[in-house]
Amino acid sequence: MNMRDDPSILLPAATIAGTRYGASVLEAGNAIHDASTGEVIGWQEHADAAQVDAAVRAAHAALDAWRNRTPASRGEILRKIAELIAANRERLSSMQQKVSGKPPLEADTDVSDAIATFDYYAGLCADASHFAADTLTLPDDTVTGERRYEAVGVAALIVPWNFPMVTTAWKIAPALAAGCTAVLKPSELTSPVEHLLAEIMTAAGVPDGVVNIVNGGGEVGALLAAHPLVDKISFTGSTAIGRKVMQTAALDMKRVTLELGGKSALIVRADADIEHAVALAMGGAFTNAGQMCSATSRIIVHDDVYRKFVAALEAAVRALVVAPPHIGNVAMGPLVSHAQRARVQALVEQGVAGGATVAFSGALDAACAEGFFMAPVVIAEPDADNVLWTDEVFGPVACVKSFRTDDEAIALANDTRYGLVATVVTRDEDATRRYRHALRAGLVWINTPQLIFPQVCWGGLGLSGIGRELGVAGLRSYQELRHAITARG
Ligand code: NAD
């Protein structure tokens, strides 16, 4: 079905300085699906090279006026965006449930995260010290020194489909706070969410040209990243594409922030509260159907509690309600697309062919016949070189391995080139201190679910990326640090 004929959701190829532009080539675009039913619910047109160019030029033209405003006035607009997101919570949450199939609680959490992010950066804008020039004390009486943080310029923001509202808020809020203007390239699978956000930003008073959107897939992202008037690229996505983006950025020395993949560990020590450990393991592996960069899909359990833990995990996995968002008590939704499910299933087959054993799996609700659902799978004791232990799966697949000593657990957890997050479950304070430092990860959670606060930076080591989002560092990533030394008169 071609949704050009049924405009229930019809997204333009580009929104440039407040004007929507259609595709220049007939049929250049892609269908948008309801992930829970597989049904086509919309059509999104794709931008061409001229539209990408026009969007970047619009952002460039809007730059001076936006960065010359006071931070406080930019902050007022960010605060208004937060208020309007809150006022549109239902609309945003239900669109998120539709295109991704997220359970209501998860979709609602995404909305809350976006509100908190805009609120936080609105708060930073109210603190002039993050922007104002300050005087440096120098060991030379004949000169004065000045330090200032200035907007980098035009930011290209490229985001994936797994948390569209969240990853977009994490980029747009600090970029606008810093005084940058932006061109956003949402994922072609979930862009209706960002288009609602864009409406909200316009209603909140973001001037035309300050945030522009180009729609399309990787080719549109590549055109945007390569544009010579783009000063900064903030990319969230796979490590493979992150490499390409960094290579492109290198040509013009564009600034980059890369939030990439992960293969994170959850460690259950012998002293852990097993019920709590299972709850954290379930959340870490199966929230968003495992489509999380921060999925703790390598579960490492002490020998003494291994049997007890695995038995409780099996009971929890078998009881997990996998269903469309409208079914009561749903805990896990579908994968985002037919292609993503096929990719995950192929990886499981590859892992099993390579010697891994499926210990147990969950079940699908009867309402899952259509749509892109997949039951959760747990793999027991894969070899250290099995693809399911080494590679990011990005689906509802977790591996469990046992350990005897803390040294062994830390070595297993760190035996990856990624380094995004880690979780440890223990009641021992000495162990807590040791693991916090020994685990190679941007963020370590001890006995907590995957809590995220805008005050706490997000980002990884190694193949998980470069730079940090959120926090003051997230603002700084959209600023250039400049100095001046002036002779005293
Ligand atoms: P992806 O890398 O395929 O695509 C990400 C975005 O980049 C999409 O908008 C895509 O259209 C665009 N893109 C594709 N090719 C491009 C190119 N050559 N140049 C510029 N842009 C291009 O990733 P995905 O499948 O959409 O998302 C899943 C990946 O994202 C996973 O690896 C996951 O770990 C990662 N992710 C990381 C974080 C984090 O914060 N570290 C958060 C969410 C997702």
Side-chain angles (χ1 to χ4, degrees):
M1 177 185 169
N2 185 342
M3 292 305 294
R4 284 163 168 273
D5 305 326
D6 173 8
S8 52
I9 299 178
L10 179 57
L11 301 180
T15 304
I16 303 170
T19 304
R20 293 158 67 101
Y21 293 88
S24 58
V25 177
L26 197 66
E27 302 305 325
N30 66 275
I32 292 162
H33 293 88
D34 179 329
S36 301
T37 63
E39 220 185 315
V40 173
I41 54 166
W43 179 262
Q44 166 187 259
E45 303 193 328
H46 286 193
D48 63 13
Q51 289 166 332
V52 172
D53 178 57
V56 177
R57 286 182 188 285
H60 188 70
L63 183 60
D64 274 347
W66 181 250
R67 69 175 160 200
N68 289 336
R69 281 185 180 225
T70 62
S73 95
R74 294 197 296 267
E76 280 166 23
I77 292 182
L78 294 185
R79 185 82 67 198
K80 187 75 190 161
I81 295 172
E83 283 166 17
L84 290 183
I85 294 176
N88 284 276
R89 182 182 278 281
E90 282 301 310
R91 253 176 105 209
L92 286 160
S93 172
S94 71
M95 182 60 83
Q96 185 67 88
Q97 290 173 43
K98 225 179 187 17
V99 295
S100 312
K102 291 189 190 229
L105 184 64
E106 289 186 20
D108 206 51
T109 304
D110 286 2
V111 180
S112 299
D113 187 309
I115 295 168
T117 303
F118 279 100
D119 259 337
Y120 171 72
Y121 283 104
L124 287 195
C125 284
D127 178 351
S129 69
H130 293 302
F131 308 87
D134 57 354
T135 304
L136 297 174
T137 309
L138 299 176
D140 182 341
D141 290 345
T142 65
V143 296
T144 58
E146 184 195 75
R147 169 176 59 190
R148 62 167 64 232
Y149 292 97
E150 283 183 2
V152 172
V154 173
L157 312 178
I158 302 174
V159 295
W161 42 259
N162 57 337
F163 291 95
M165 200 179 325
V166 173
T167 42
T168 297
W170 287 13
K171 295 184 191 313
I172 288 196
L176 296 190
C180 291
T181 55
V183 180
L184 171 71
K185 210 296 281 168
S187 163
E188 61 275 34
L189 299 178
T190 47
S191 53
V193 180
E194 273 95 351
H195 282 263
L196 288 183
L197 266 185
E199 273 178 33
I200 286 172
M201 286 189 272
T202 303
V206 174
D208 286 349
V210 170
V211 178
N212 308 277
I213 301 185
V214 289
N215 280 325
E219 67 297 337
V220 174
L223 285 168
L224 176 59
H227 197 292
L229 289 178
V230 165
D231 302 292
K232 152 99 195 184
I233 307 170
S234 180
F235 171 86
T236 299
S238 59
T239 297
I241 303 293
R243 273 194 194 101
K244 290 190 189 180
V245 167
M246 193 163 167
Q247 281 167 342
T248 302
L251 294 174
D252 297 316
M253 292 299 158
K254 294 182 167 102
R255 279 64 182 126
V256 287
T257 299
L258 303 173
E259 295 294 347
L260 309 176
K263 189 67 188 176
S264 300
L266 179 142
I267 297 168
V268 183
R269 288 187 83 250
D271 59 71
D273 173 337
I274 295 302
E275 202 182 314
H276 188 50
V278 168
L280 298 185
M282 292 293 289
F286 303 125
T287 298
N288 208 27
Q291 304 165 112
M292 295 191 291
C293 50
S294 60
T296 44
S297 59
R298 296 187 299 138
I299 304 172
I300 303 172
V301 186
H302 194 276
D303 264 351
D304 290 356
V305 289
Y306 187 82
R307 278 168 170 274
K308 188 176 172 192
F309 174 86
V310 171
L313 183 68
E314 177 170 359
V317 167
R318 293 194 189 282
L320 194 76
V321 179
V322 183
H326 66 270
I327 300 283
N329 293 330
V330 54
M332 190 179 107
L335 301 194
V336 75
S337 67
H338 186 269
Q340 181 63 10
R341 181 177 58 183
R343 198 188 140 268
V344 173
Q345 285 172 337
L347 268 173
V348 173
E349 281 164 24
Q350 190 188 335
V352 169
T357 312
V358 174
F360 46 87
S361 42
L364 299 183
D365 186 272
C368 294
E370 312 296 331
F372 312 129
F373 291 93
M374 176 179 165
V377 174
V378 175
I379 307 287
E381 296 300 325
D383 289 340
D385 62 353
N386 189 279
V387 67
L388 297 173
W389 183 256
T390 57
D391 286 24
E392 183 177 53
V393 175
F394 229 60
V397 181
C399 297
V400 190
K401 248 180 176 331
S402 63
F403 74 90
R404 275 236 61 86
T405 64
D406 287 328
D407 285 347
E408 205 187 321
I410 290 165
L412 268 175
N414 287 347
D415 185 20
T416 172
R417 294 185 67 199
Y418 293 110
L420 191 56
V421 300
T423 300
V424 184
V425 198
T426 179
R427 285 184 276 210
D428 183 299
E429 282 185 18
D430 289 339
T432 296
R433 272 192 293 278
R434 179 168 180 208
Y435 277 89
R436 254 197 319 246
H437 296 289
L439 291 173
R440 278 193 77 254
L443 177 56
V444 179
W445 287 291
I446 313 271
N447 296 327
T448 79
Q450 296 202 351
L451 296 176
I452 292 174
F453 302 97
Q455 291 79 0
V456 178
C457 290
W458 184 264
L461 315 181
L463 294 188
S464 291
I466 290 182
R468 294 290 178 269
E469 295 197 287
L470 300 180
V472 174
L475 175 72
R476 295 279 182 251
S477 79
Y478 292 94
Q479 293 174 319
E480 291 281 13
L481 173 58
R482 301 182 57 201
H483 289 89
I485 298 176
T486 309
R488 285 187 197 272

